[in-house]
Amino acid sequence: MEPPKIWREKRQRYLGIGVKCLDCDYKAFPLTSFCPSCGSGNVQEYKLAEKGRIIQFTQVNQTSNDMMANVPYAIGIIELEDGIKVTGQIVDIDYSLIEIGMPVRMVLRVLSKDGTEGLIKYGFKFIPVD
Amino acid sequence: MNNEDVFIIGHGMTKFGEHFDKSPSSLASQALMETVTNAQLEKELIQSIFFGSLVTNTNSQASVGASCIRECNLSIPLTRIEAGTASGAAAFQQAFQGIRSGLFDCIAVVGVEKLSDFVNSSTIEKILGTTIDYSWEFEMGATLTSLYALLTKAHMKEYQTTLEQLALVPEKNHRNGVNNKNAQFQKEIPLERFLSAKRISEPIGRFDPATHCDGASALILASSEFVSNNLKSNDLTEVLGLGHASDHLALHHRESLTALSATQIAAKNAYDMAGISSADINVAEVHDSYPIGEILAIEDLGFFPKGEGGLAVEEGKTKINSEVSINTSGGLKSRGDPFGATGIAQIIEIVEQLTGQADKRQVDDHNFGLTQNVLGTGAMAYVNVFGKKEVKK
């Protein structure tokens, strides 16, 4: 991944910053400068809900080189409490114990490493809620 | 015939598989020249070419079309079209528009991909990552295979589709592919092999996905005026209807995980334009890059009610000469999937079926055919409907 892209996306990836429309209340992620629903430019950044539940999930065994250190890992679609849906890894739990509907919480983790000397890319993943 | 009719007057393709000794442009040239011979035309009559390919820079060459037309000693307008794994169908639809608009009378379409040059499978995963939401799916850890696994699990949960029904899709397609000399794998694989294989992304097994390989395919499209001036009496394939629709790039933004709405909309548009319905289709080539792809396709194209695709496969309703013959060529699974060349190879199979040239794969009723080519997990879908027409001079 190119450094300008990491810089551009860092607040979304590190903090989970989305956008909400002050005119129609629509919420969206990733960031946009206007409301994807009503088109209004009257939008404000906000922090996504940290908690959500698993909609569907599976396991990844083969991916690009910079993420191969983590395989096999679980990936799923998570619906957050504010209604936003995102794709993310489900970590800190044995794969056989993951279930649809399971409550999870957003955490910051390493997503990929470009070799031993390249950039390390961070982003959010999900862990089970106790 | 009226002036708006568009016909396919020639087709040709390389064998799909591993062509370590061929460059992308030489594969494209081979398919194009075979198509010119098949159409019995002087190649100088072609007025424009559209190339469909996903990978922009195999062998560091950006426009594969430029080196292809040099090899073929042509100097005509050329445009490369990219629509991910549906680039072939996208290029075809551009060519159709070029003729229907009246700007051109004879256009070639070439699809090509050279994927055996990428020896590291991680590179292919990254290329496939560009057909899903690269930033918010792929970089978060999802892969195309894992997203198809989510679609598969959602269908299994909602409609009780079974692993056996899913495995019957590639099993059937390999059986059909035995009789396709251009298929990468001309052999049957027993059902048990699919079911007992290691899961690569649960519930998708190692033998379930189509393979990413090399190949090129080509068509020549012409107006009715060009046909009357240049061709002898013949059975030709007429393009009756087109549909193209899009959906959210990321699965997590979609309303449903159990239907591809882009396919549904594209199919409706194609049927409306052709003036026929799904019940009229005798033979169809659909995007079976994963087993669930074919099950979603036969439901979303209207061949079977939503949720009954798995059952239809189990009851043999998609075999050759059954209710609707699906993937008589062997599909992406047995033919192999060189992305840009796939959408055009699908159309070639329909042309051969409608004109009665499909040999051992030939279906008895062959009045109407359909192709469905999909980008990624369904962010774009292209549906084309074809009919046969006897052209008399």
Side-chain angles (χ1 to χ4, degrees):
Chain A
M1 194 204 260
E2 304 304 324
K5 185 172 188 293
I6 296 180
W7 177 82
R8 185 164 67 240
E9 292 170 349
K10 67 181 193 289
R11 297 179 62 252
Q12 299 175 77
R13 286 196 194 277
Y14 299 172
L15 300 169
I17 299 292
V19 69
K20 70 177 167 192
C21 177
L22 299 176
D23 288 339
C24 76
D25 247 10
Y26 186 86
K27 295 188 176 83
F29 181 85
L31 281 178
T32 55
S33 55
F34 57 90
C35 172
S37 179
C38 75
S40 164
N42 192 17
V43 294
Q44 192 176 54
E45 292 184 6
Y46 84 106
K47 187 153 173 17
L48 300 182
E50 282 188 10
K51 289 181 181 170
R53 60 187 185 90
I54 298 171
I55 300 282
Q56 194 53 267
F57 68 96
T58 184
Q59 201 169 30
V60 171
N61 284 286
Q62 173 74 50
T63 182
S64 67
N65 275 335
D66 56 358
M67 292 188 277
M68 280 301 284
N70 294 331
V71 301
Y73 57 82
I75 188 97
I77 295 176
I78 314 296
E79 182 168 18
L80 301 172
E81 284 174 351
D82 54 12
I84 294 283
K85 282 188 252 181
V86 294
T87 295
Q89 293 176 37
I90 303 154
V91 296
D92 293 1
I93 180 173
D94 192 86
Y95 182 74
S96 62
L97 300 175
I98 302 175
E99 286 173 14
I100 290 170
M102 182 178 267
V104 289
R105 183 165 66 83
M106 192 185 278
V107 291
L108 181 70
R109 294 289 167 91
V110 171
L111 281 178
S112 66
K113 287 182 182 174
D114 182 11
T116 52
E117 292 171 7
L119 293 170
I120 298 173
K121 188 172 70 192
Y122 295 86
F124 56 78
K125 296 185 184 178
F126 294 89
I127 61 170
V129 175
D130 301 327
Chain B
M1 286 194 291
N2 67 52
N3 274 336
E4 291 187 340
D5 295 343
V6 178
F7 295 92
I8 297 174
I9 62 167
H11 64 276
M13 63 187 281
T14 68
K15 186 181 188 308
F16 283 5
E18 290 169 329
H19 293 280
F20 291 113
D21 58 337
K22 295 252 169 51
S23 69
S25 69
S26 64
L27 284 173
S29 304
Q30 188 184 326
L32 177 60
M33 293 313 289
E34 194 181 304
T35 304
V36 168
T37 308
N38 176 267
Q40 298 178 296
L41 277 189
E42 297 294 322
K43 67 178 191 290
E44 286 71 22
L45 288 171
I46 300 171
Q47 298 160 336
S48 180
I49 304 193
F50 287 94
F51 284 85
S53 73
L54 160 58
V55 185
T56 51
N57 58 346
T58 315
N59 299 158
S60 306
Q61 179 65 58
S63 181
V64 63
S67 44
C68 171
I69 66 161
R70 178 191 53 76
E71 276 183 40
C72 299
N73 200 20
L74 291 168
S75 47
I76 52 177
L78 73 95
T79 309
R80 174 177 159 265
I81 303 288
E82 187 279 315
T85 46
S87 296
F92 168 79
Q93 294 201 352
Q94 290 300 312
F96 176 90
Q97 290 168 25
I99 291 173
R100 173 59 71 90
S101 69
L103 200 57
F104 297 104
D105 290 313
C106 180
I107 303 184
V109 191
V110 181
V112 59
E113 218 75 66
K114 186 77 182 63
L115 300 171
S116 71
D117 280 16
F118 302 104
V119 291
N120 185 331
S121 57
S122 289
T123 314
I124 295 283
E125 289 295 344
K126 214 163 177 172
I127 291 168
L128 290 169
T130 66
T131 71
I132 59 178
D133 188 330
Y134 194 86
S135 292
W136 300 105
E137 288 183 323
F138 187 71
E139 288 184 336
M140 299 303 276
T143 58
L144 183 67
T145 302
S146 68
L147 296 180
Y148 267 96
L150 300 183
L151 291 170
T152 310
K153 283 180 79 174
H155 205 276
M156 293 173 79
K157 181 168 185 273
E158 180 91 19
Y159 301 114
Q160 290 76 52
T161 303
T162 66
L163 282 177
E164 184 157 327
Q165 290 170 344
L166 287 156
L168 281 164
V169 171
E171 193 267 343
K172 163 187 69 75
N173 291 345
H174 271 276
R175 216 159 353 98
N176 293 349
V178 166
N179 296 314
N180 182 356
K181 66 177 171 52
N182 289 321
Q184 182 178 19
F185 303 108
Q186 295 158 43
K187 65 174 181 189
E188 295 186 25
I189 297 181
L191 186 64
E192 188 46 39
R193 278 300 284 287
F194 293 104
L195 291 169
S196 62
K198 181 177 182 266
R199 299 298 104 177
I200 53 172
S201 203
E202 182 258 331
I204 293 177
R206 183 166 298 287
F207 288 103
D208 291 342
T211 47
H212 313 121
C213 66
D214 308 334
S217 49
L219 297 166
I220 298 177
L221 277 67
S223 66
S224 45
E225 193 185 339
F226 184 94
V227 168
S228 359
N229 293 340
N230 295 285
L231 295 182
K232 302 189 189 80
S233 309
N234 220 335
D235 278 347
L236 290 179
T237 304
E238 184 177 355
V239 187
L240 298 177
L242 312 180
H244 169 209
S246 62
D247 197 352
H248 291 290
L249 184 54
L251 272 193
H252 58 244
H253 285 145
R254 304 229 186 119
E255 293 278 316
S256 165
L257 293 180
T258 53
L260 300 187
S261 80
T263 298
Q264 293 173 332
I265 297 164
K268 186 186 182 304
N269 292 342
Y271 294 140
D272 286 352
M273 184 171 163
I276 63 167
S277 79
S278 58
D280 295 314
I281 302 293
N282 308 113
V283 53
E285 289 284 304
V286 305
H287 205 98
D288 64 321
S289 51
Y290 297 86
I292 192 65
E294 179 161 326
I295 287 175
L296 289 171
I298 61 178
E299 294 173 356
D300 295 334
L301 292 167
F303 299 145
F304 301 100
K306 184 44 77 183
E308 294 179 21
L311 194 63
V313 173
E314 187 180 339
E315 291 175 345
K317 291 177 176 172
T318 57
K319 290 178 179 171
I320 289 178
N321 285 328
S322 58
E323 210 161 295
V324 52
S325 305
I326 303 288
N327 283 333
T328 54
S329 68
L332 279 63
K333 180 65 184 82
S334 161
R335 187 176 52 223
D337 184 15
F339 311 132
T342 284
I344 294 164
Q346 290 180 317
I347 297 170
I348 290 174
E349 176 68 10
I350 296 302
V351 169
E352 293 193 343
Q353 289 287 357
L354 296 190
T355 53
Q357 304 173 60
D359 203 21
K360 285 181 181 165
R361 311 185 308 281
Q362 185 63 47
V363 298
D364 296 337
D365 295 326
H366 48 94
N367 296 313
F368 297 104
L370 174 148
T371 62
Q372 177 239 18
N373 199 191
V374 171
L375 158 73
T377 53
M380 282 201 268
Y382 293 80
V383 174
N384 304 304
V385 173
F386 305 90
K388 64 175 169 186
K389 194 158 202 172
E390 195 184 339
V391 177
K392 289 190 180 125
K393 203 140 186 194

